[in-house]
Amino acid sequence: MEELKFVLVFVLLALASSFASASDPSPLQDFCVAINETDGVFVNGKFCKDPAQVTEKDFFFPGLNTPRDTSGPVGSNVTTVNVAQIAGLNTLGISFARIDYAPNGGLNPPHTHPRASEILVVVEGTLYVGFVTSNLANGDNRLITKVLNPGDVFVFPIGLIHFQFNVGKTNAVAFASLSSQNPGVITIANAVFGADPPIKPDVLAKAFQVDKKIVDYLQKQFWTDNN
C-alpha cells in the first residue's frame, strides 16, 4: 500500500510539474522589471532592475487607441505589447496586442505562438477566425472556426495554427491577451518559404506535392519580403 501511495504521489507531482512548465514560471517577488545587461550571461527571461530604481514608465505603453496602417500585403497590422515594450512584464506571464485589419479581406495569416495561448476580443468589424488541431486519433487535423462580431471573444490554444480574416466591408480591430511575456510567433508561410537559409526546394515540393517551379516562385516571393 505504501508503495502504491508513493507511485500515486510521484505521478501527481510529475503531472503538476508538466502543467507548471506549460507556461511562464511564476514570479517569486512583486515584480522583476527587465534590463538588457547580461555581462555575457543569458537566462530564461531577463535580468531584473534594482527595485529602488523602478518607475511607472516600466509598466506603461501608450497609444493602443491609434489605428495602424493596414496597407501591407496581407492587409493587417499587429501591434505587440510584450516584455520588449513593457519591461515590467518580465516574469508576469502575460502580454497584449492590438490587431488592425483592412476592409474586404484583411488577414492575420496562419501562425502559431509556441509559448502562449491567446484570447481575442473583437471591438470593431466582423472577423472569420479559426484554429487547426494537432493530429487526431484518425490522423486528421480538424479546423474549428467562428465568425466574430464586436464584443465576441475567441480562444486560440497554445501552439496551434490560427488566423483571423476580415469578412466585412469596413475596418476591423481586435485586442488579444497572451499567456506569456514573450509568446513568440511563427507565421507559417513566411517560415516555410522565407526561412534563412532557404529550405531546399526539393523538400518543399515533395512535402506539398507540387511542382518544384511553384516552390521556387513562392520562395522568391517570401525571401524578398523577409530579407
Side-chain angles (χ1 to χ4, degrees), residues 81-155:
V81 185
N82 55 41
V83 71
Q85 288 76 40
I86 299 181
L89 285 174
N90 190 41
T91 76
L92 297 186
I94 56 171
S95 58
F96 200 67
R98 172 185 171 128
I99 310 102
D100 291 80
Y101 311 83
N104 300 307
L107 172 68
N108 189 10
H111 62 282
T112 73
H113 301 294
R115 294 180 290 277
S117 295
E118 174 181 349
I119 184 166
L120 176 136
V121 58
V122 177
V123 296
E124 182 180 334
T126 303
L127 297 178
Y128 167 69
V129 308
F131 65 86
V132 180
T133 68
S134 59
N135 292 0
L136 303 176
N138 62 3
D140 291 342
N141 300 95
R142 183 182 174 196
L143 173 64
I144 296 176
T145 65
K146 181 72 175 173
V147 174
L148 305 181
N149 295 298
D152 291 342
V153 175
F154 199 80
V155 173

Side-chain angles (χ1 to χ4, degrees), residues 7-166:
V7 171
L8 289 174
V9 170
F10 180 83
V11 170
L12 289 172
L13 287 173
L15 288 172
S17 175
S18 66
F19 293 147
S21 63
S23 59
D24 291 359
S26 298
L28 300 177
Q29 53 207 27
D30 287 346
F31 48 78
C32 171
V33 173
I35 56 175
N36 292 322
E37 298 173 11
T38 66
D39 292 328
V41 178
F42 294 90
V43 295
N44 185 26
K46 302 271 188 182
F47 286 104
C48 303
K49 178 188 285 190
D50 182 344
Q53 298 178 10
V54 168
T55 73
E56 78 285 350
K57 294 180 181 179
D58 295 314
F59 302 93
F60 176 74
F61 180 87
L64 278 189
N65 61 316
T66 304
R68 267 49 178 185
D69 179 18
T70 57
S71 61
V74 297
S76 72
N77 193 325
V78 180
T79 304
T80 57
V81 185
N82 55 41
V83 71
Q85 288 76 40
I86 299 181
L89 285 174
N90 190 41
T91 76
L92 297 186
I94 56 171
S95 58
F96 200 67
R98 172 185 171 128
I99 310 102
D100 291 80
Y101 311 83
N104 300 307
L107 172 68
N108 189 10
H111 62 282
T112 73
H113 301 294
R115 294 180 290 277
S117 295
E118 174 181 349
I119 184 166
L120 176 136
V121 58
V122 177
V123 296
E124 182 180 334
T126 303
L127 297 178
Y128 167 69
V129 308
F131 65 86
V132 180
T133 68
S134 59
N135 292 0
L136 303 176
N138 62 3
D140 291 342
N141 300 95
R142 183 182 174 196
L143 173 64
I144 296 176
T145 65
K146 181 72 175 173
V147 174
L148 305 181
N149 295 298
D152 291 342
V153 175
F154 199 80
V155 173
F156 305 106
I158 185 171
L160 298 187
I161 296 172
H162 59 283
F163 61 87
Q164 303 104 37
F165 182 71
N166 186 359

Side-chain angles (χ1 to χ4, degrees), residues 162-181:
H162 59 283
F163 61 87
Q164 303 104 37
F165 182 71
N166 186 359
V167 293
K169 297 180 180 180
T170 61
N171 292 320
V173 180
F175 290 93
S177 181
L178 300 102
S179 61
S180 172
Q181 68 179 47

